[in-house]
Amino acid sequence: KQFLIQTLCKGSETSMIDKILGFRESFVWKALRNLQRFLLTFTSCAMTLIICVVVFIRYFLHGDLFGYEEINIVLCMWFYFIGASYSALDKKLISADMTSLFLTHAQRRIVDLVVKALTAILSIVMAVWGYNYFVWGLGMGGVSSLLKIPLTVSQSAMFFGYLLIAFYSVIYFIEDLILLITKREPVRLETEDD
């Protein structure tokens, strides 16, 4: 254990640990965050606009807009899965953490590490499943019934969302593992909660 700490900490002012822990301040991290924000904003606005147009056409013009459901399903899939990955990014996935009531700080950090390890493993399994589902959909070549939208457009949302959740889960696990081994306390970044 001590050898691992010395190996990770060896170097100049910016050790390997600092580089790993600083990843969340990198261009890639910020670009993913901004991409997700854009997709969430775009999909929610587009779904809302489509529903408003449908209501206007149906109740004021007494007509119907055929196929809007197919567009909204695609938008909805992307909204749900990008929203889930954004929750993983912000560490705000659903949890029922009561460990703070009966565990010490050190025990809580170990339990949190185990939870993050399990989350990383399960999210990797789901990302592989999402990939297999997407590839299967490509092979099947299915399309929607009216607008002929390829089904892989919505299936790719599952793969992309699960892939991002797995990516964030692995990063957070590695961060917490390094912090626990080196006996450092987690540092709250300025980009969290913005």
Side-chain angles (χ1 to χ4, degrees):
K1 180 179 170 183
Q2 194 62 29
F3 174 74
L4 179 63
I5 293 171
Q6 289 173 348
T7 304
L8 289 173
C9 293
K10 190 179 0 177
S12 62
E13 300 148 13
T14 57
S15 68
M16 181 189 283
I17 289 177
D18 294 327
K19 288 179 184 176
I20 293 170
L21 296 178
F23 181 70
R24 288 195 287 148
E25 290 295 319
S26 71
F27 171 78
V28 172
W29 192 269
K30 291 176 183 177
L32 282 173
R33 176 185 288 268
N34 290 336
L35 175 64
Q36 288 176 274
R37 285 179 177 171
F38 169 77
L39 288 173
L40 285 171
T41 303
F42 173 78
T43 54
S44 62
C45 289
M47 285 187 297
T48 304
L49 180 65
I50 289 171
I51 291 171
C52 289
V53 168
V54 167
V55 167
F56 179 78
I57 289 172
R58 183 171 291 154
Y59 293 105
F60 293 103
L61 302 179
H62 304 290
D64 202 0
L65 185 62
F66 294 103
Y68 78 91
E69 303 95 345
E70 294 178 2
I71 296 170
N72 260 1
I73 287 172
V74 170
L75 293 169
C76 191
M77 290 288 287
W78 276 95
F79 180 76
Y80 288 156
F81 284 97
I82 294 301
S85 65
Y86 193 80
S87 294
L89 167 71
D90 280 348
K91 298 181 182 181
K92 293 184 179 164
L93 288 171
I94 299 171
S95 69
D97 186 16
M98 296 181 61
T99 58
S100 60
L101 299 175
F102 55 88
L103 295 178
T104 66
H105 177 69
Q107 292 170 330
R108 244 188 349 262
R109 285 186 72 184
I110 292 170
V111 168
D112 286 346
L113 185 65
V114 170
V115 167
K116 284 184 178 153
L118 291 173
T119 302
I121 291 167
L122 290 174
S123 62
I124 289 169
V125 168
M126 293 305 292
V128 169
W129 175 82
Y131 170 77
N132 290 335
Y133 183 57
F134 174 66
V135 170
W136 174 82
L138 282 174
M140 296 302 289
V143 294
S144 64
S145 57
L146 187 62
L147 299 177
K148 306 299 182 203
I149 299 170
L151 296 180
T152 53
V153 175
S154 60
Q155 292 165 346
S156 63
M158 296 174 75
F159 170 56
F160 189 65
Y162 285 141
L163 185 65
L164 286 173
I165 292 170
F167 174 72
Y168 298 136
S169 299
V170 168
I171 294 293
Y172 291 142
F173 169 72
I174 291 170
E175 280 183 351
D176 280 8
L177 180 63
I178 289 171
L179 290 171
L180 189 66
I181 290 172
T182 60
K183 297 180 180 167
R184 291 185 183 185
E185 286 296 318
V187 176
R188 189 161 185 78
L189 300 176
E190 291 178 19
T191 56
E192 293 177 10
D193 280 337
D194 59 343

